[in-house]
Amino acid sequence: GLGRRRGRQQQQQRGRMDPAQFQQRMEQRQQRMAEHHAKRQAELKAQLKLTPAQEGAWNQYTSAMQPPAKGPRMDRAEFDKLTTPQRIDRMQQRSAERQAQMKQRGDAVKAFYAQLTPEQQKVYDERAMRGGRGEGQRGGGRHGHHGMGPGPR
């Protein structure tokens, strides 16, 4: 969560974690997230009981729902060199990129959903409405993708 992220940032700023170690941890985290995403997609597909005629729509949906590739991040020293207007432009650019990704995912969910039977839509809705979290767990958070698409069950 946010607290853990701040802790890592503070550690990095104090020089406790060398860049190679930080990079390795980030790669491991991305690998775990990719595995978790694949598992959720497999569970969803099994629960939806798709017909052969729906496979094409499923493939388009899962392709669009892949986590976006992470580009190189601007390091803090580089960001600090920017003027305030440049920083604002940079933040607006990143916001526009996230909005475009969110729209692409939303469009993919709507197109896939339209191919489902009413019973399949009900299964999909139950997963999406719970935010992809099991009972007794808190939902929300930054990585919930704003309810677009079901998460783990």
Side-chain angles (χ1 to χ4, degrees):
L2 186 59
R4 231 182 301 156
R5 192 172 329 131
R6 280 191 185 141
R8 281 195 299 260
Q9 288 171 344
Q10 289 170 351
Q11 254 186 346
Q12 224 179 347
Q13 289 168 356
R14 284 181 262 168
R16 289 188 183 159
M17 187 181 299
D18 67 71
Q21 184 182 17
F22 179 75
Q23 182 65 31
Q24 181 182 15
R25 283 192 181 181
M26 290 304 295
E27 289 170 4
Q28 290 170 345
R29 182 174 183 265
Q30 288 174 343
Q31 178 64 32
R32 283 192 310 269
M33 288 174 60
E35 290 168 2
H36 183 71
H37 179 78
K39 179 182 173 191
R40 286 190 330 212
Q41 294 292 8
E43 290 171 354
L44 174 62
K45 186 176 184 182
Q47 290 175 347
L48 289 175
K49 300 175 184 153
L50 299 175
T51 66
Q54 293 171 317
E55 285 293 325
W58 170 257
N59 292 335
Q60 289 177 343
Y61 167 77
T62 55
S63 176
M65 298 305 285
Q66 290 298 317
K70 300 275 186 197
R73 289 185 67 157
M74 179 182 285
D75 72 4
R76 190 72 202 173
E78 194 177 332
F79 189 78
D80 288 344
K81 292 176 186 174
L82 298 178
T83 65
T84 297
Q86 289 171 326
R87 289 178 187 180
I88 291 169
D89 290 344
R90 176 81 176 177
M91 290 185 282
Q92 288 176 333
Q93 176 188 0
R94 290 290 299 132
S95 178
E97 290 167 5
R98 286 189 299 273
Q99 284 292 327
Q101 291 168 351
M102 201 163 107
K103 182 180 181 343
Q104 178 186 4
R105 285 180 168 217
D107 291 347
V109 169
K110 290 175 186 177
F112 178 64
Y113 191 88
Q115 300 299 313
L116 299 176
T117 66
E119 184 60 34
Q120 290 169 322
Q121 288 175 351
K122 183 178 176 189
V123 170
Y124 193 98
D125 289 342
E126 287 172 359
R127 289 175 54 102
M129 289 304 296
R130 288 209 325 240
R133 304 216 172 21
E135 280 74 84
Q137 294 180 346
R138 286 190 293 204
R142 188 166 178 206
H143 301 289
H145 300 293
H146 310 285
M148 290 199 298
R153 192 159 171 196

